[in-house]
Amino acid sequence: MTSLITPVILAGGSGTRLWPLSRKSYPKQFVRLVDEQTLFQASALRMAGRSGALAFAAPVVLTNSDFRFIVTEQLSEVGIDPGAVIIEPEGRNTAPAILAAALHLLQADPEAVMLVAPSDHVIPDTAAFHAAVAQGLTAVAAGDLVTFGIQPDRPETGYGYLELATPPDGSGAPVKLARFVEKPDAARAAEMLAAGSYLWNAGIFLFRAKDILAAFETYAPDLCAPVKAAVAEATADLGFLRLAPGPWDGAQDISIDYAVMEKAPNLSVVPFAAGWSDLGGWDAVWREGAQDDNGVGLSGAATAIDCTDTLLRSDSANLEVVGIGLDNIIAVAMNDAVLIADMSRAQDVKKAVDALKARKATQATQFPMDHRPWGWFESLVIGDRFQVKRIHVHPGAALSLQSHFHRSEHWIVVEGTARVTIDDEVKLVAENQSVYIPLGAKHRMENPGKVPMVLIEVQTGTYLGEDDIIRYEDVYSRGQGAKG
């Protein structure tokens, strides 16, 4: 008999340990880090279709408002139609998100089985992962809450651990959980590695929706009322499901481990030893990527001379990264920021982001390429009273009908053809043609073609912030504000 499982993908995070590539406005799950697919796309594909006795339903994705169109665009690129994209009014950690997903699924299926996974992990062996999920279903059928533990291959201090009641027997069968263990120091991590009864906590879970709801009602009852109300009062918005912000504000910011898992007695662990990484730092990216005989990993326009155990990466086509005589070094370059660190200090990148935030540096949180539902733009030059942008509009996409209080704009089409509205006039603007948008004029650009449209925008005015925008019409229903 085929077991139907609904993937629940958590995609609202904004990790900083892979800065400058991962930032609050465009975090690592949506970036191509180690493959042609993004981490989010790889996670969705890993839990799609059929595999032996497993069948995966359309995924439920939890994310925030700024990422909602990125989620649907990236799923569409790999041929996946989401079952529901649930918008959290603001991040409240994993416990409220998972509870909301369970309540949503129970509305349609009282026996729904959920496979909950972060969207930013690397699991190279999909077949082995499916086999582990199949193993976990035996415990789920008995009413257990199942988590997945990774067989450690080093005394890692960056992960929490799962202590098993008995050491795994090598069959992959579920083992009862004794307790959760916080991130250890180096000496304790070495002891746990030698003991053989400790696994890394992967943060991946498998259970029936009704069983996790019962656990919440028993061990975290204060979460139930606000989350139930947020789901009951949720509103549909262009195919998205927006949780009600009022009740959601009353939900505690807490992880599923602290809220439920560390208290519930019916926990089983499926051991997994086929390869896994949460890419929790540039050292992890280096380990997961290809290396030469000297342990050097290169990505993009990067060159190494007499280097060892080093990662050199350029994410800008016009910026060459060259390392000479480096050992145990991380060097990551983008067109607006460069990170250089000792490999042993990879976990301290967050301190750098905090320091940049304290200086109010935009590079701390803002990705140089600003993604919108119609495409993206990037700032090329910024002056006191002018800004130059490159704007990429997807085929068939359209920006909102809008106006500005403080700036006028010049548009020069360099690829494709734009349909331009300026007040009551609508005209086509082809490659190598330009148009002027006066201050205060209602205007819109659209791409009527079947190939991307690219233009250069020159803004001039007293204020050039993205919040200087009044929307009159918008096919994406974004409302007012910089992103709506």
Side-chain angles (χ1 to χ4, degrees):
M1 181 177 177
T2 300
S3 300
L4 184 64
I5 299 169
T6 299
V8 174
I9 305 175
L10 307 178
S14 56
T16 58
R17 288 181 292 175
L18 290 182
W19 184 89
L21 191 62
S22 176
R23 309 188 197 182
K24 182 179 180 181
S25 69
Y26 201 71
K28 67 175 180 175
Q29 61 263 31
F30 302 121
V31 174
R32 290 169 177 83
L33 263 169
V34 295
D35 207 339
E36 290 303 309
Q37 297 154 348
T38 69
L39 299 178
F40 172 69
Q41 289 173 324
S43 296
L45 288 170
R46 191 181 306 126
M47 299 180 288
R50 289 178 176 267
S51 175
L54 302 180
F56 294 100
V60 172
V61 181
L62 287 106
T63 189
N64 64 44
S65 187
D66 285 349
F67 301 155
R68 66 195 188 279
F69 293 108
I70 298 173
V71 162
T72 53
E73 180 181 323
Q74 292 204 353
L75 288 177
S76 176
E77 287 176 358
V78 295
I80 293 177
D81 184 19
V85 177
I86 300 176
I87 308 301
E88 300 176 77
E90 62 178 300
R92 281 284 186 264
N93 215 316
T94 55
I98 292 171
L99 176 56
L103 292 167
H104 173 75
L105 291 174
L106 284 169
Q107 291 174 347
D109 182 4
E111 295 298 321
V113 176
M114 309 165 54
L115 177 58
V116 181
S119 59
D120 56 0
H121 290 186
V122 171
I123 302 177
D125 193 336
T126 297
F129 178 69
H130 289 170
V133 173
Q135 290 273 19
L137 286 173
T138 60
V140 169
D144 275 8
L145 309 177
V146 174
T147 185
F148 293 79
I150 309 302
Q151 186 67 49
D153 58 7
R154 61 186 184 276
E156 177 63 55
T157 60
Y159 300 146
Y161 285 69
L162 305 169
E163 182 181 1
L164 305 182
T166 57
D169 60 11
S171 69
V175 180
K176 285 295 182 182
L177 177 68
R179 67 187 180 100
F180 286 81
V181 180
E182 296 291 336
K183 295 177 182 179
D185 59 24
R188 180 58 180 146
E191 292 173 359
M192 290 192 289
L193 178 64
S197 58
Y198 293 85
L199 305 177
W200 292 335
N201 183 2
I204 302 172
F205 305 100
L206 181 69
F207 34 65
R208 290 183 299 208
K210 66 181 183 182
D211 293 329
I212 192 63
L213 174 59
F216 272 104
E217 290 174 338
T218 301
Y219 302 106
D222 291 346
L223 272 179
C224 293
V227 176
K228 285 181 178 179
V231 173
E233 299 170 23
T235 56
D237 175 9
L238 290 179
F240 304 105
L241 185 66
R242 288 185 178 272
L243 299 175
W248 189 256
D249 287 345
Q252 183 182 2
D253 186 329
I254 187 171
S255 73
I256 187 73
D257 286 352
Y258 285 131
V260 171
M261 296 299 179
E262 294 186 358
K263 303 170 185 176
N266 57 327
L267 261 67
S268 292
V269 181
V270 174
F272 187 76
W276 167 90
S277 174
D278 72 344
L279 292 187
W282 284 112
D283 54 338
V285 175
W286 170 74
R287 279 193 298 269
E288 290 297 316
Q291 302 171 13
D292 66 15
D293 293 341
N294 295 316
V296 175
L298 302 177
S299 179
T303 302
I305 300 172
D306 298 331
C307 296
T308 55
D309 297 335
T310 287
L311 174 66
L312 301 179
R313 179 180 181 117
S314 173
D315 281 272
S316 173
N318 298 319
L319 199 158
E320 292 281 344
V321 174
V322 179
I324 302 175
L326 302 179
D327 177 52
N328 213 48
I329 293 297
I330 298 162
V332 180
M334 298 189 70
N335 60 11
D336 68 335
V338 178
L339 168 71
I340 302 172
D342 190 275
M343 191 78 72
S344 65
R345 302 291 298 276
Q347 294 300 312
D348 289 338
V349 171
K350 186 178 183 300
K351 295 181 181 178
V353 176
D354 291 340
L356 291 174
K357 286 180 180 177
R359 291 202 295 106
K360 295 182 171 24
T362 58
Q363 290 91 335
T365 57
Q366 295 302 309
F367 201 70
M369 188 177 291
D370 198 326
H371 290 260
R372 300 296 172 93
W374 44 260
W376 52 265
F377 71 83
E378 62 179 335
S379 294
L380 304 177
V381 181
I382 300 176
D384 289 340
R385 294 175 61 90
F386 75 93
Q387 180 172 200
V388 180
K389 292 181 177 179
R390 176 168 58 175
I391 299 177
H392 174 113
V393 184
H394 297 318
L399 281 68
S400 61
L401 181 66
Q402 58 186 256
S403 67
H404 309 294
F405 284 119
H406 302 289
R407 69 174 184 258
S408 59
E409 296 171 344
H410 300 256
W411 295 346
I412 305 99
V413 177
V414 294
E415 292 182 27
T417 298
R419 180 187 292 122
V420 175
T421 299
I422 305 175
D423 291 327
D424 296 327
E425 181 185 8
V426 180
K427 62 182 178 179
L428 293 178
V429 182
E431 287 185 17
N432 204 32
Q433 293 182 333
S434 63
V435 65
Y436 173 64
I437 315 298
L439 179 72
K442 290 183 181 180
H443 60 280
R444 187 206 307 264
M445 74 174 76
E446 305 169 66
N447 180 358
K450 296 182 178 180
V451 296
M453 184 268 287
V454 180
L455 59 81
I456 301 300
E457 177 182 84
V458 180
Q459 301 176 351
T460 57
T462 58
Y463 178 71
L464 306 173
E466 288 302 315
D467 54 346
D468 178 21
I469 180 172
I470 300 295
R471 288 193 180 92
Y472 303 95
E473 297 175 9
D474 183 44
V475 295
Y476 308 106
S477 299
R478 285 172 293 168
Q480 302 302 326
K483 290 191 177 183

